[in-house]
């Protein structure tokens, strides 16, 4: 249906209110989704996608759930958006609105990858940087009109979902270069500690990681170089480079972790605890056995626990899944990349190269001679 002009005014007003009062919001997009091949209205449970269950003169009432919502219990507002495009007949599912975290009828079930009760020195990253994800359950939650940004216009459901998907992916791509550099650095330090850094095979592995890190940076730079500025002055990185880089990073991230583990060796998961190291009875033996080279045994232990926490424990598992799924899985990145890719131009080039479809075959350019 035709978009109501008041939505735009409400969105701007909401943004201004958030800016003025320093209000933090979640992006509550991903629905429970039930059976993936069925449309929202064909699910066994109609609440597998958030939907409007009642329309009143002063607002709407919504039910359903949103999953995996980053920081949900920490923010003031849950900004609910459709998870994908909706078709005619799915008007109740084409809903966007903002719901205060303490709204009546909203329950949040939290998960966390925070280490539970162990010595935080073994979890140098995850004890500081963990973030809860919430399962939001909306049970007949009333949303006043001024907080409703879409209600029933199926043709606009996807544009909201896509707009936010871009920022979710952008976040991942923006950090991918520095995260990859950190992996390269960790691998190089581990190699130094075991005296393997000059071995040809280890240098080969490090070059592979360096190429990965460089390509991650290149993808981000291309996305920013081709960014566009909309009428409100908001700068948007180029979608095609964001989705292609996100895909590339997720595709190879696991391989980079494998290389890191290969270089680290088994101590990565069998290193003694820091408490053992400090123990009066056995500490001296540990210092002796883990010493050598330019680093102390304590430095080596710290590095090993850091890498284990980052890549081979609860938080590492969370990162591995998040790399491929947050901002949409690989399937979504392929879809978005192809949508923005100029396939017609690629076909035209191919027709010209072959000399078919009315194109005259061109001699290969001299620059393409293989040397
Ligand atoms: C740490 C973390 C934080 C997140 N934070 C947020 C957040 O703040 N807000 C938010 O909204 N979401 C968030 N997400 C969710 C994230 O966006 C989703 O995980 C992602 O969109 C994939 O959805 P899914 O997990 O339901 O997997 P699915 O979409 O179910 O994908 C799983 C598999 O099913 C396949 N599949 C899916 N649909 C179909 C179909 N129709 N036909 C055939 N095969 C299909 C996929 O190709 C894939 O192989 C977060 C996820 C993680 C891991």
């Amino acid at each position: 249906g035709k978009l109501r002009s008041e939505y735009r005014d409400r969105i701007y007003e909401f943004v201004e209110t958030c800016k003025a009062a320093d209000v933090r919001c979640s992006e509550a997009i991903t629905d429970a989704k039930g059976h993936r091949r069925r449309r929202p209205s064909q699910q066994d449970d109609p609440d597998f996608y958030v939907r409007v269950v009642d329309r009143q003169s002063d607002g709407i009432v919504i039910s359903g759930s949103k999953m995996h919502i980053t920081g949900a219990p920490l923010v003031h507002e849950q900004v609910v958006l459709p998870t994908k495009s909706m078709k005619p007949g799915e008007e109740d599912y084409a809903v966007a609105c903002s719901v205060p975290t303490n709204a009546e009828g909203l329950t949040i079930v939290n998960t966390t990858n925070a280490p539970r009760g162990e010595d935080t020195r073994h979890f140098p990253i995850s004890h500081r940087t963990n973030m809860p994800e919430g399962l939001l359950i909306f049970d007949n939650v009333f949303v006043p009109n001024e907080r409703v940004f879409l209600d029933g216009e199926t043709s606009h459901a996807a544009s909201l979902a896509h707009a936010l998907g871009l920022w979710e992916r952008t976040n991942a791509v923006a950090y991918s270069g520095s995260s990859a550099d950190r992996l390269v650095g960790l691998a190089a330090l581990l190699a130094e500690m075991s005296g393997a850094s000059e071995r040809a095979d280890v240098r080969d592995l490090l070059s592979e990681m360096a190429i990965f890190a460089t390509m991650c940076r290149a993808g981000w730079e291309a996305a920013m170089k081709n960014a566009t500025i909309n009428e409100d002055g908001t700068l948007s990185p180029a979608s095609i480079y964001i989705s292609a880089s996100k895909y590339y990073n997720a595709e190879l991230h696991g391989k980079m972790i494998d290389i890191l583990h290969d270089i680290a060796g088994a101590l990565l998961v069998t290193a003694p605890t820091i408490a053992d190291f400090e123990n009066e009875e056995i500490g001296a033996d540990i210092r002796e056995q883990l010493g050598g080279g330019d680093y102390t045994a304590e430095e080596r232990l710290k590095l090993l626990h850091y890498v284990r926490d980052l890549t081979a424990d609860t938080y590492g598992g969370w990162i591995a899944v998040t790399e491929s799924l947050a901002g949409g899985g690989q399937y979504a990145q392929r879809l978005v990349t192809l949508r923005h890719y100029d396939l017609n131009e690629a076909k035209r080039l191919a027709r010209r190269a072959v000399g078919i479809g009315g194109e005259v075959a061109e001699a290969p350019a001299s620059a393409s001679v293989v040397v």
Side-chain angles (χ1 to χ4, degrees), residues 70 113 133 165 168-183 212 216 242-257 310-311 314-333:
T70 300
N113 52 54
E133 273 98 34
E168 193 63 44
R169 287 168 204 139
T170 293
N171 185 45
V173 173
Y175 288 111
S176 64
S178 49
S179 303
D181 285 339
R182 178 172 58 169
L183 291 182
F212 171 73
C216 287
I242 291 292
S243 50
S245 305
K246 168 86 174 56
Y247 181 89
Y248 173 84
N249 180 43
E251 200 69 4
L252 290 181
H253 185 261
K255 187 175 180 200
M256 297 304 124
I257 300 296
L310 180 66
T311 65
T314 306
Y315 180 67
W318 180 88
I319 294 258
V321 174
T322 303
E323 286 288 346
S324 74
L325 283 173
Q330 295 298 72
Y331 167 70
Q333 309 315 321

Side-chain angles (χ1 to χ4, degrees), residues 149-169:
F149 310 131
L150 188 79
D151 172 20
E153 293 82 356
T154 49
S155 54
H156 288 84
S159 46
L160 284 173
H162 291 165
L164 270 139
L166 169 66
W167 293 108
E168 193 63 44
R169 287 168 204 139

Side-chain angles (χ1 to χ4, degrees), residues 27 29-30 33 36-37 68-70 133 322 325 328 331:
E27 297 174 357
I29 305 171
T30 311
K33 296 190 286 196
R36 299 298 193 266
R37 293 198 76 86
H68 332 294
I69 308 307
T70 300
E133 273 98 34
T322 303
L325 283 173
Y331 167 70

